[in-house]
Amino acid sequence: SAVISQKPSRDICQRGTSLTIQCQVDSQVTMMFWYRQQPGQSLTLIATANQGSEATYESGFVIDKFPISRPNLTFSTLTVSNMSPEDSSIYLCSVTGTGQAPQAFFGQGTRLTVV
Amino acid sequence: GNSVTQMEGPVTLSEEAFLTINCTYTATGYPSLFWYVQYPGEGLQLLLKATKADDKGSNKGFEATYRKETTSFHLEKGSVQVSDSAVYFCALIPAHAGNMLTFGGGTRLMVKP
């Protein structure tokens, strides 16, 4: 299993500003995933972060808006840039466990409100 | 591509009622299947999983059976409690896709005393 610490747990931000969300894992992992959960919606994958290379973004998400860092195998950050009220969501970090059967683990999420 | 479809909510039940939340999927090969639960104000927790056909995942009284012939993974519980009120997500990891989860839309369950 993996324990993921994500912070901040919540924040209220002014439009036009940026927020960086941190994700720390208690073990080394190859891939880390960042998801967005808009109010009342399911989870949508933003990007996959690999250590030592640029993140891979899903359709509809761009690096300028959601820059990601992955400096080592246990840590990643997601920045939500130039925020607008439409960015109000829960942002979640996830990793998958090793072993015979895949399993995903999640941080507790960051609840972002943009005013 | 891969997709997960689950019944829309909210599902409202009385305490001790029987619960079924339907989930069907589209994927090539044999994906791994999961149910996650999100309690109010909290993050996602793995509820149960199944990794091959006819496997039954179970946890906390919840069960789901991996049905390859119907591409389904319906969640069931014989007697729900108020504390089961949450949003439930069905998800899959394809057989060869770098362990990336595809989620269903989520089903909100409300259990009344």
Side-chain angles (χ1 to χ4, degrees), chain A residues 2 4 23 25 29 31-33 93-97 103-106:
Chain A
I4 302 174
C23 179
V25 189
V29 293
M31 289 187 289
M32 297 177 74
F33 304 92
C93 170
S94 174
V95 302
T96 49
Q103 179 176 320
F105 302 92
F106 288 85

Side-chain angles (χ1 to χ4, degrees), chain A residues 13-77:
Chain A
C13 300
Q14 297 290 324
R15 68 175 67 203
T17 63
S18 298
L19 175 71
T20 296
I21 302 167
Q22 298 180 4
C23 179
Q24 179 75 51
V25 189
D26 68 344
S27 57
Q28 295 184 339
V29 293
T30 303
M31 289 187 289
M32 297 177 74
F33 304 92
W34 286 98
Y35 290 85
R36 181 176 73 182
Q37 185 182 19
Q38 294 177 300
Q41 304 294 315
S42 186
L43 282 78
T44 302
L45 181 66
I46 297 172
T48 303
N50 297 312
Q51 194 268 336
S53 63
E54 289 220 350
T56 303
Y57 289 82
E58 298 300 306
S59 175
F61 298 96
V62 295
I63 188 171
D64 289 347
K65 176 67 175 177
F66 297 102
I68 287 171
S69 77
R70 184 78 201 275
N72 57 54
L73 290 173
T74 63
F75 187 78
S76 178
T77 66

Side-chain angles (χ1 to χ4, degrees), chain B residues 7-78:
Chain B
M7 61 190 292
E8 290 191 18
V11 174
T12 303
L13 296 174
S14 297
E15 206 165 22
E16 299 184 0
F18 185 86
L19 168 71
T20 299
I21 301 178
N22 290 337
C23 171
T24 57
Y25 67 90
T26 301
T28 56
Y30 288 83
S32 295
L33 302 174
F34 305 84
W35 277 100
Y36 283 85
V37 58
Q38 187 176 37
Y39 297 103
E42 298 185 14
L44 282 172
Q45 301 176 26
L46 177 66
L47 181 60
L48 53 84
K49 66 177 181 180
T51 57
K52 59 183 186 294
D54 300 324
D55 265 3
K56 177 184 285 188
S58 61
N59 186 25
K60 299 181 181 180
F62 290 89
E63 292 184 341
T65 301
Y66 190 141
R67 301 289 189 197
K68 180 65 175 174
E69 63 276 13
T70 55
T71 62
S72 65
F73 193 54
H74 304 321
L75 182 68
E76 297 181 337
K77 186 174 185 181

